[in-house]
Amino acid sequence: MQTCSRCNTLSGDSVVICPNCGADLQELSNTAVSLKRLRQNSRVLVIRLVIPADACPACQAVEGTYPKDKVPALPVKGCSCPHGCTCFYEPMLNEIYP
Ligand SMILES: [Zn+2]
Ligand SMILES: [Zn+2]
């Protein structure tokens, strides 16, 4: 499932436009917005894609840590998880200061 960041309407993973407010979910779903914020945060070094243990093979395949510009979009393409893609981004922060 994806959540519209504008109106909090839940949509299926294959929905591209929010049925409630017409937002482009590829840009404005909660995961897309959070990814954008992480990319703009200079303290975030790399982004880990966290996959639930019982996720489908498509999700399992993209598990890992990525440079900020190489992170796959969520929901995962071809995801067949029974409750929709529940993968999420976890920022790896630069906590060490000179
Ligand atoms: Zn919406
Ligand atoms: Zn999946």
Side-chain angles (χ1 to χ4, degrees), residues 18-91:
C18 173
N20 185 53
C21 73
D24 179 352
L25 291 175
Q26 284 164 314
E27 292 284 325
L28 291 166
S29 70
N30 276 352
T31 51
V33 168
S34 76
L35 178 59
K36 205 178 279 175
R37 283 205 197 109
L38 296 179
R39 279 182 172 148
Q40 286 164 354
N41 185 340
S42 58
R43 289 179 62 223
V44 177
L45 290 183
V46 290
I47 299 173
R48 202 157 81 92
L49 203 51
V50 182
I51 313 295
D54 58 350
C56 70
C59 288
Q60 304 276 2
V62 296
E63 178 167 32
T65 305
Y66 297 85
K68 286 202 270 190
D69 55 340
K70 297 260 166 29
V71 191
L74 291 180
V76 174
K77 240 188 217 137
C79 172
S80 60
C81 297
H83 304 294
C85 186
T86 50
C87 308
F88 61 94
Y89 301 120
E90 186 178 86

Side-chain angles (χ1 to χ4, degrees), residues 3-9 11 17-23 25 28:
T3 309
C4 175
S5 65
R6 277 196 194 158
C7 67
N8 286 320
T9 297
S11 300
I17 300 291
C18 173
N20 185 53
C21 73
L25 291 175
L28 291 166

